Amino acid sequence: MRLDRRTLVRAAAAAAPLLALPGALRAAEPDLSALQDMTRGAVPIDNAERAARLARAQKLMRANGIGAVLIEGGSSLIYFTGLRWGRSERLTAVVLPAEGEACIVTPFFEEARTREGLAIPAEVRVWNEDENPLKTVAGFLKDRKLAHLPVGIEETVRYFAVDGLQKAGLKVVSANPVVRGCRMIKTPAEIALMQLATDVTIAAYRFVYPRVEKGMSQRDVAALMDAATRKLGGVPEFSLVLVGEGAAYPHGTKVPAPVADGRIVLMDCGCNVQGYQSDVSRTWVHGGATPEQRKVWDQVAQGQQTAFAAAKLGATAGSVDDAVRRYYASVGWGPDYKLPGLSHRTGHGIGLDGHEPVNLVRGEATKLAPGMCFSNEPGIYIPGSFGVRLEDCFHMTESGPKWFSEPPKSIDAPMG
């Protein structure tokens, strides 16, 4: 849905061999026999959970004067219907009405496959190749007596769909109050899957860390992380490995850098379990850290704790970012988004998407509430030298923030 680091890292990984280890290890894959699938007991999202999502969406539609919401293929379609569908020039979308059963609009020849993938009761309306699918959507709304009300558009829906609805005489508005209003607040079932995804990532890190050797390439390390993650039951989403000066740039550079004594190794990795994602970053120095590397690592660790302490119920998401920047400025970084310092937001929402609304970023006025989930990753980057990023996610509870993974305490014990 968005061109972010996950998209870029996955594209790079696709071009890399599954596993390529240095020196004498190249002839054999790593021994993963000690790793066991951690996800066998995972509890999937059930029918009752999906019914509750639709009920909440309908309540929010009525509260906001919206007659229906249109959603194309992607994570929001999965969230509400269970249907996994790629986007093409042929529209397949769900129409969630403010009352009653949902409707799936799909090409005639895709009807059987659409019904097969649905996890909710829904009417299915089809369109043929010589027909306009947006007229099919408009027809459904007219039949449900909802055409006089605005149609909420999920924020990733493509322009041609919006244009088609407008040409059919319908008023369109943002569906953010509805879709975000549902997806931003995770239920216990969702949080349990995110916790399991995080547990898999942490276990994979603990397997990989002692096996990182001098001379290994960034691809070597990433491939090892992916292999461990798969054996543990997770589906790898991204495995970003930055070494040395490359770690000074949050998403790295094209310049390869093998692991070497005295060089920073920064890993930013995540997986999904039944679609729900993890996102964890760890930084250490191969062969022992310098005083400067230790100082920066400790300041990033304090930056994480500063963000966590600022994440109070009712506080704005932007105030968490503000707190971190005040601390960094007090020890000589920045100020603001300037380098050397923290050039990106402190964190992002996470769930079915690795990056979802809202962000821990300056000016974000959304107030923190139970069920919201965020990354906490206030790195420090020194162009031409090195960077440090520690990242752990947390979720808001009735008593405040709770970690999905506990941050490490020392650069000498980066996996805790």
Side-chain angles (χ1 to χ4, degrees), residues 10 209 243:
R10 281 199 293 269
Y209 172 64
V243 179

Side-chain angles (χ1 to χ4, degrees), residues 120-143:
I120 63 167
E123 180 181 350
V124 177
R125 294 197 179 192
V126 300
W127 56 276
N128 286 299
E129 293 280 64
D130 61 343
E131 295 176 325
N132 182 345
L134 282 312
K135 288 186 177 179
T136 305
V137 173
F140 168 77
L141 295 172
K142 182 179 179 181
D143 291 346

Side-chain angles (χ1 to χ4, degrees), residues 327-359:
Y327 163 65
Y328 280 169
S330 75
V331 293
W333 301 112
D336 304 318
Y337 291 83
K338 294 182 175 62
L339 291 171
L342 174 58
S343 53
H344 58 70
R345 62 199 173 200
T346 293
H348 55 78
I350 186 170
L352 278 172
D353 288 320
H355 290 187
E356 34 177 84
V358 291
N359 297 314

Side-chain angles (χ1 to χ4, degrees), residues 53-66 69 80 98 175-183 185:
R53 291 172 179 180
L54 178 58
R56 176 168 173 77
Q58 291 177 324
K59 181 178 179 180
L60 289 169
M61 278 184 251
R62 293 191 292 269
N64 287 276
I66 294 173
V69 168
F80 285 108
N176 282 356
V178 178
V179 177
R180 289 189 179 188
C182 292
R183 289 189 56 185
I185 306 299

